[in-house]
Amino acid sequence: GNSVTQMEGPVTLSEEAFLTINCTYTATGYPSLFWYVQYPGEGLQLLLKATKADDKGSNKGFEATYRKETTSFHLEKGSVQVSDSAVYFCALSGNTGKLIFGQGTTLQVKP
Amino acid sequence: DARVTQTPRHKVTEMGQEVTMRCQPILGHNTVFWYRQTMMQGLELLAYFRNRAPLDDSGMPKDRFSAEMPDATLATLKIQPSEPRDSAVYFCASEEQTQAARASEQFFGPGTRLTVL
């Protein structure tokens, strides 16, 4: 079945450091891929998405590229801020309309 | 600014009591999801509806949980009787899904934090 695996957290970085959160997936067909972010005390919100191979999703300085050959969708940001501290979820959607989420990765950015 | 609303935001109850959580999806969204989030299990899909019809409730304990959509503006999740292991944050999310774009973006509510003593 479809599944998503994320790197375990927490990830702790200093402000302005480079961020990578790894995400790999297993799926049949051609899923769409997503990154959601959850700030403390809130629900999840869409950060970025990509719907086909080689697409790059980007938003708020974050980027992720849909790599079919490596079944990956790694999240990157060149310079993190304290306000980026949150839990990040990788997810995929097949043809059922449901999202399959990874376990989430907590990011802590220190000043 | 359209958003998903959930009530109550916090609920503390005693074991054995009935709990009802409510969700108002974004107007025009045809698909509604219920999730549960705990530290141990992470984010779990409990049930979802499209055009008010239940499509999948396989993630829900059938003996005590029930989910309904009485109308397009209200989704409910009920637990009866509640147990301490049901303590979690319950999220509702809505989405506009079409045949052409089965997965666009799910919009999450702020959640209901349930504590069962």
Side-chain angles (χ1 to χ4, degrees):
Chain A
N2 295 346
S3 66
V4 175
T5 302
Q6 292 180 232
M7 63 187 288
E8 287 195 24
V11 173
T12 302
L13 296 173
S14 297
E15 208 165 21
E16 299 184 2
F18 185 86
L19 168 71
T20 299
I21 300 178
N22 290 338
C23 171
T24 57
Y25 67 90
T26 302
T28 54
Y30 303 96
S32 295
L33 300 174
F34 304 82
W35 277 101
Y36 278 78
V37 59
Q38 183 179 28
Y39 298 103
E42 298 183 10
L44 281 69
Q45 56 186 274
L46 180 66
L47 181 59
L48 52 83
K49 69 178 183 182
T51 57
K52 62 183 187 296
D54 299 326
D55 267 3
K56 177 186 284 187
S58 62
N59 186 25
K60 299 181 182 179
F62 291 89
E63 294 183 338
T65 301
Y66 189 141
R67 302 281 188 204
K68 191 167 178 61
E69 63 276 12
T70 55
T71 62
S72 65
F73 194 54
H74 304 321
L75 182 68
E76 296 181 336
K77 186 174 185 181
S79 176
V80 294
Q81 305 300 312
V82 172
S83 57
D84 294 326
S85 298
V87 182
Y88 292 81
F89 292 88
C90 185
L92 70 81
S93 177
N95 58 5
T96 63
K98 294 190 297 186
L99 284 177
I100 308 297
F101 285 95
Q103 68 270 39
T105 302
T106 299
L107 170 65
Q108 298 174 333
V109 180
K110 297 188 174 181
Chain B
D1 184 24
R3 56 184 65 190
V4 176
T5 58
Q6 290 186 247
T7 57
R9 292 293 312 276
H10 302 272
K11 176 73 176 179
V12 179
T13 191
E14 293 190 347
M15 183 173 63
Q17 296 298 305
E18 178 179 298
V19 175
T20 299
M21 291 169 271
R22 293 177 175 80
C23 166
Q24 182 171 6
I26 292 173
L27 191 64
H29 283 190
N30 62 349
T31 308
V32 175
F33 304 84
W34 281 107
Y35 294 92
R36 176 170 62 185
Q37 186 177 39
T38 60
M39 290 294 291
M40 293 298 294
Q41 300 297 326
L43 197 62
E44 304 172 275
L45 177 66
L46 298 176
Y48 77 108
F49 296 76
R50 185 172 298 134
N51 298 320
R52 295 177 55 202
L55 286 192
D56 185 351
D57 61 1
S58 59
M60 210 161 61
K62 298 291 190 303
D63 55 338
R64 300 183 298 108
F65 284 60
S66 60
E68 295 180 344
M69 280 202 73
D71 60 61
T73 64
L74 177 64
T76 62
L77 179 66
K78 188 176 295 186
I79 308 174
Q80 168 63 20
S82 58
E83 297 181 1
R85 60 182 166 147
D86 301 330
S87 297
V89 181
Y90 291 81
F91 288 104
C92 173
S94 72
E95 181 177 2
E96 181 182 2
Q97 288 192 355
T98 65
Q99 285 295 333
R102 291 305 287 265
S104 54
E105 176 180 356
Q106 290 188 18
F107 290 81
F108 282 73
T112 294
R113 182 174 294 276
L114 174 66
T115 302
V116 183
L117 303 174

